[in-house]
Amino acid sequence: MRSYEVTYIVDSTLENDKIKSTAKLYQDMLTENGSTIVAVNEIGLQKLAYPIKRRNSGIYYCVEFQTPTPDVIAIVELAMRRDDSILRFLTVSLNKFGVKYNADKREGKIGVARKIVKEEIKDERDNRRGRKNRNNDRPAKKAAPAPAPAPKAEPVAAAPAPKAEPVKVAAPAPVATPAPVAEPAKAAAPAKADDLKKIEGIGPKIAEILNAGNITTFAALAASTPAAIREMLTAAGGRFASHNPETWPMQSGMAAEGKWDELKKWQDESDGGKPIAAKEEE
Amino acid sequence: MASRDDIKFLSNPNIGKQRDKYCRFRKYGIKYIDYKDPDFLLQFINEQGKILPRRITGNSLKYQRKVATAVKRCRHLAMLPYVADLMK
């Protein structure tokens, strides 16, 4: 069974009943011909970008359906073509991403639920590493946002991603980051975890990500490469991808060796953890 | 010895530099472009309603094709105009 989607515009000058019955007619036509309707999206009255049949507005309907026999489409389209009250129609086949997008949109996951998505992705990652109880160890982080076991929603289209979200508001809670990481499971991890936030450019959120990625100490961070860290950040979500980890290993190298004065001096000189060379001169 | 810190510039050397372009669909894992969402597609057309080229949007070829298809479908459904003036 393939999935399709037909969008059609009904003339808005008809009376209300007529509009409804016209819209219904084609949905019935689909079911009668052996297809199953997945969802009907009544987009409603919209202004047309250009006049069609001397009309300036129309009522949009979008019907997602599955059918084993694609002949239905020809039948329905022919009927629509003959119908004067249908201003326009468009049938497209949906691939799996399109189906998923529609399902997510129906559940209201697109455009709004960006933050929940992040929590779920993080949880998923934790589960994969077999640390389900991680949330429990953590000292009541903002009342554990209890991410419903819904499937992970891709941040699909709709909301233009680059609008950096003000998610930061929720961030400052997990001050006790290093705590949950020294687990017996990860025997390799040295007992004592360092406060990675000392590194310029690392905040509580990123420290958490690094901890999840098994970097808990300055030494571990120093041994890592900027590329590896960047990968970790990107995996944790697009919001972090803009951070520049280039100097973090260098900074943490100083921290690991206890050269705090040196580190302090470097951080004063540099601008937000960016390499000094890239800094601007007056 | 003059180090890098001692060099003085007359103007900010970073100013004329081009920002790195990237494909937002690849970067944010967007797999499907909705043709019924004219507000989103507005980012990929210019004031006259023409589709912007890849060298400006930075899209990868795969997704530029999808964007183009979506914009054309959107126009067909009269959610975007075929020709316009001062759209934005």
Side-chain angles (χ1 to χ4, degrees):
Chain A
M1 292 254 271
R2 297 201 61 177
S3 292
Y4 299 89
E5 186 178 72
V6 57
T7 313
Y8 52 92
I9 312 174
V10 184
D11 192 345
S12 60
T13 54
L14 300 171
E15 25 330 350
N16 237 338
D17 300 346
K18 194 80 198 311
I19 293 170
K20 290 241 171 64
S21 66
T22 317
K24 196 83 177 42
L25 173 74
Y26 294 103
Q27 292 162 28
D28 292 344
M29 200 179 285
L30 283 171
T31 37
E32 274 163 27
N33 285 292
S35 52
T36 49
I37 289 180
V38 178
V40 181
N41 179 11
E42 294 184 22
I43 303 170
L45 184 70
Q46 276 196 333
K47 209 170 164 304
L48 302 178
Y50 48 88
I52 305 175
K53 291 187 188 165
R54 305 195 170 215
R55 305 275 181 266
N56 285 316
S57 63
I59 295 158
Y60 284 73
Y61 286 88
C62 181
V63 182
E64 188 187 338
F65 62 98
Q66 290 185 324
T67 177
T69 52
D71 318 344
V72 210
I73 295 165
I75 297 169
V76 172
E77 284 199 339
L78 181 65
M80 283 183 177
R81 225 169 250 133
R82 286 177 175 163
D83 192 338
D84 254 352
S85 54
I86 299 286
L87 298 181
R88 270 293 150 87
F89 61 88
L90 174 70
T91 317
V92 295
S93 72
L94 294 176
N95 59 8
K96 61 181 176 195
F97 302 120
V99 174
K100 180 141 177 25
Y101 174 87
N102 280 349
D104 285 349
K105 189 149 196 184
R106 252 174 273 133
E107 286 169 37
K109 277 192 206 149
I110 289 172
V112 249
R114 183 71 55 80
K115 219 165 78 196
I116 298 170
V117 170
K118 188 132 298 157
E119 294 289 340
E120 277 162 8
I121 292 174
K122 202 157 41 148
D123 268 25
E124 230 170 59
R125 194 158 11 107
D126 293 345
N127 291 347
R128 227 181 298 138
R129 301 215 162 122
R131 21 162 120 171
K132 282 208 170 73
N133 53 352
R134 178 152 167 262
N135 271 342
N136 305 344
D137 309 339
R138 197 177 308 162
K141 184 204 163 197
K142 54 175 167 172
K152 119 176 175 210
E154 287 176 27
V156 204
K163 282 186 200 158
E165 240 118 308
V167 197
K168 283 263 156 66
V169 190
V175 186
T177 3
V181 190
E183 273 154 280
K186 299 270 168 200
K192 189 81 178 71
D194 291 325
D195 184 9
L196 295 178
K197 296 194 292 296
K198 291 251 161 51
I199 307 294
E200 201 154 315
I202 298 186
K205 272 284 171 195
I206 292 182
E208 223 174 295
I209 296 168
L210 291 176
N211 284 340
N214 209 17
I215 295 181
T216 56
T217 60
F218 291 130
L221 182 57
S224 186
T225 61
I229 300 172
R230 188 176 295 250
E231 209 163 277
M232 230 180 270
L233 293 178
T234 320
R239 182 158 65 86
F240 298 109
S242 60
H243 291 276
N244 183 0
E246 216 145 279
T247 65
W248 297 354
M250 196 266 287
Q251 288 187 60
S252 56
M254 290 191 224
E257 289 161 31
K259 299 177 188 161
W260 292 109
D261 297 338
E262 232 166 275
L263 180 62
K264 184 85 189 22
K265 184 164 167 287
W266 187 89
Q267 286 178 345
D268 288 345
E269 281 174 7
S270 84
D271 167 31
K274 291 184 203 73
I276 291 184
K279 217 186 70 169
E280 204 20 57
E281 310 246 341
E282 262 76 355
Chain B
M1 283 298 278
S3 74
R4 177 68 172 67
D5 289 340
D6 298 333
I7 305 172
K8 301 278 188 248
F9 295 98
L10 285 175
S11 61
N12 185 340
N14 284 338
I15 267 178
K17 233 187 258 172
Q18 206 175 19
R19 284 179 107 198
D20 271 359
K21 281 182 280 192
Y22 60 88
C23 177
R24 65 188 84 188
F25 300 101
R26 277 198 200 287
K27 187 167 182 188
Y28 299 106
I30 299 169
K31 297 275 176 54
Y32 179 74
I33 302 171
D34 189 5
Y35 62 90
K36 297 187 294 302
D37 190 354
D39 297 332
F40 176 67
L41 296 174
L42 215 54
Q43 299 171 16
F44 303 102
I45 60 180
N46 70 3
E47 289 185 342
Q48 299 168 39
K50 295 179 175 182
I51 300 172
L52 289 172
R54 229 145 62 83
R55 66 163 186 274
I56 290 173
T57 60
N59 291 341
S60 67
L61 179 56
K62 179 175 172 183
Y63 286 101
Q64 176 72 10
R65 266 192 254 117
K66 294 193 176 189
V67 166
T69 316
V71 170
K72 287 168 188 171
R73 282 176 177 170
C74 201
R75 285 176 183 160
H76 175 76
L77 289 172
M79 288 166 159
L80 283 179
Y82 280 99
V83 282
D85 250 342
L86 298 173
M87 262 190 74
K88 293 184 184 170

